[in-house]
């Protein structure tokens, strides 16, 4: 990542952040994982989110990041499928806190991480094995439908992996397929978290971290391709406005 002049590196703040990050993992996340396992799933989400909320607050305090959240009023009643661009670890934590219960579609190996993986297992994620791509979509549609029927919203990063700021990756239509089959709306979310918390370096950058929540996209009677295109175009339009690192040009299709 090549930081914009408006993004200031915070090496000392980053060091303090990671002290607090691992403190929270050991002394908040781990004890909560032991305490909440017998509780109903909705209470598990609320309690385990304390860890995420602490990390988000600690990042703001230590690294000089100002948060600007827009569109929270757009979150619908009932379960929905949330789609967001994926740039960093920040959104994997913050989006869980928006309107719990929200389960995340993630790579299966994350469940094997000590402490972190234990907590993940308690909030009913949808783990996928990337070595079996043909099987992944079947599992997502089956388990995702079960979660939505339970009243648990589903968070999917349609790019499939973290994409650094200033780069693009086409959206998978799996999220829209799930939403269309279940008859629930798709809620698009755009953010520039990767400009402040990059997966390429331990150094954090101060500045304004903006997250925008769009209007729910109706899915009933619509095709997944159409819903995916609408969500991707909305997210890309927001990124063009809030990103301090220039966005790449939209690819053109030649006849």
């Amino acid at each position: 990542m090549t930081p914009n002049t408006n993004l200031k590196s915070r090496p000392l703040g980053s060091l303090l952040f990671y002290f607090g990050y691992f403190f929270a993992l050991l002394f908040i996340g781990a004890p909560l994982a032991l305490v909440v396992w017998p509780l109903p799933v909705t209470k598990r989400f609320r309690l385990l989110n304390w860890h995420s909320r602490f990390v988000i607050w600690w990042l703001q305090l230590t690294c000089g990041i100002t948060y600007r959240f827009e569109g929270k009023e757009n979150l619908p009643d009932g379960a929905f499928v949330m789609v967001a661009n994926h740039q960093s670890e920040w959104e994997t934590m913050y989006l869980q806190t928006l309107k719990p219960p929200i389960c995340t579609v993630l790579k299966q190996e994350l469940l094997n991480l000590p402490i972190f993986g234990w907590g993940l297992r308690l909030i009913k994620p949808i783990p996928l094995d990337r070595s079996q791509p043909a099987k992944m979509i079947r599992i997502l549609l089956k388990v995702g439908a079960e979660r939505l029927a339970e009243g648990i919203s589903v968070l999917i990063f349609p790019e499939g992996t973290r994409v650094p700021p200033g780069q693009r990756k086409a959206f998978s239509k799996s999220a829209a397929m799930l939403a269309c089959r279940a008859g629930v709306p798709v809620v698009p979310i755009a953010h520039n978290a990767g400009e402040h918390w990059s997966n390429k370096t331990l150094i954090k950058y101060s500045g304004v971290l903006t997250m925008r929540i769009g209007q729910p996209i109706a899915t009933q009677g619509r095709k997944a391709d159409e819903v995916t295109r609408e969500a991707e175009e909305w997210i890309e339009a927001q990124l063009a406005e809030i990103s301090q690192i220039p966005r790449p040009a939209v690819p053109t299709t030649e006849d």
Side-chain angles (χ1 to χ4, degrees):
M1 180 178 80
T2 303
N4 185 288
T5 54
N6 293 322
L7 299 170
K8 304 297 184 182
S9 65
R10 293 296 184 99
L12 179 58
S14 300
L15 181 62
L16 291 173
F17 167 74
Y18 277 109
F19 274 122
Y21 179 90
F22 289 111
F23 173 89
L25 188 62
L26 291 173
F27 297 104
I28 299 178
L32 282 174
L34 294 174
V35 169
V36 305
W37 70 267
L39 300 177
V41 66
T42 53
K43 291 186 178 180
R44 290 182 197 172
F45 276 96
R46 292 193 185 97
L47 291 174
L48 287 173
N49 275 340
W50 288 355
H51 169 261
S52 296
R53 292 182 187 281
F54 171 81
V55 172
I56 291 160
W57 170 79
W58 186 241
L59 176 70
Q60 179 183 25
L61 182 66
T62 57
C63 297
I65 295 171
T66 302
Y67 294 138
R68 179 186 296 147
F69 300 138
E70 303 172 5
K72 286 187 177 182
E73 68 279 2
N74 292 330
L75 293 171
D77 295 328
F80 54 90
V81 174
M82 179 187 297
V83 297
N85 60 302
H86 197 12
Q87 294 184 348
S88 74
E89 190 177 340
W90 181 88
E91 63 269 15
T92 64
M93 290 188 290
Y94 182 77
L95 295 180
Q96 291 275 358
T97 71
L98 272 178
K99 193 175 182 183
I102 299 174
C103 75
T104 305
V105 176
L106 45 76
K107 54 186 179 181
Q108 187 170 283
E109 48 266 40
L110 289 177
L111 300 183
N112 298 323
L113 294 175
I115 304 177
F116 185 76
W118 307 340
L120 282 178
R121 291 176 183 272
L122 293 171
I123 52 177
K124 306 188 77 169
I126 304 176
L128 300 178
D129 184 352
R130 292 183 177 180
S131 67
Q132 303 183 60
K135 190 177 178 181
M136 284 171 51
I137 187 65
R138 295 197 300 271
I139 293 174
L140 172 59
L141 294 178
K142 178 180 181 299
V143 181
E146 293 171 356
R147 297 288 189 271
L148 291 168
E150 295 175 58
I152 300 174
S153 297
V154 178
L155 166 61
I156 299 178
F157 297 108
E159 293 159 309
T161 188
R162 291 175 187 165
V163 179
Q167 297 183 27
R168 293 189 58 159
K169 190 174 184 295
F171 279 23
S172 162
K173 65 179 181 180
S174 56
M177 289 175 65
L178 172 61
C180 289
R181 290 193 180 196
V184 300
V186 167
V187 176
I189 296 180
H191 63 85
N192 64 342
E195 297 176 357
H196 307 278
W197 183 339
S198 170
N199 66 326
K200 301 292 186 182
T201 176
L202 295 177
I203 301 298
K204 305 294 181 279
Y205 292 86
S206 63
V208 180
L209 192 162
T210 301
M211 185 199 71
R212 290 181 178 176
I213 303 172
Q215 292 280 351
I217 299 173
T219 61
Q220 293 184 346
R222 302 181 69 187
K223 294 182 178 180
D225 288 339
E226 178 187 357
V227 173
T228 301
R229 184 168 57 252
E230 183 175 344
E232 184 172 8
E233 289 177 351
W234 185 88
I235 289 174
E236 185 57 39
Q238 307 313 305
L239 290 176
E241 293 182 6
I242 66 177
S243 298
Q244 296 189 66
I245 295 174
R247 300 295 300 163
V250 177
T252 57
T253 302
E254 296 183 2
D255 295 331

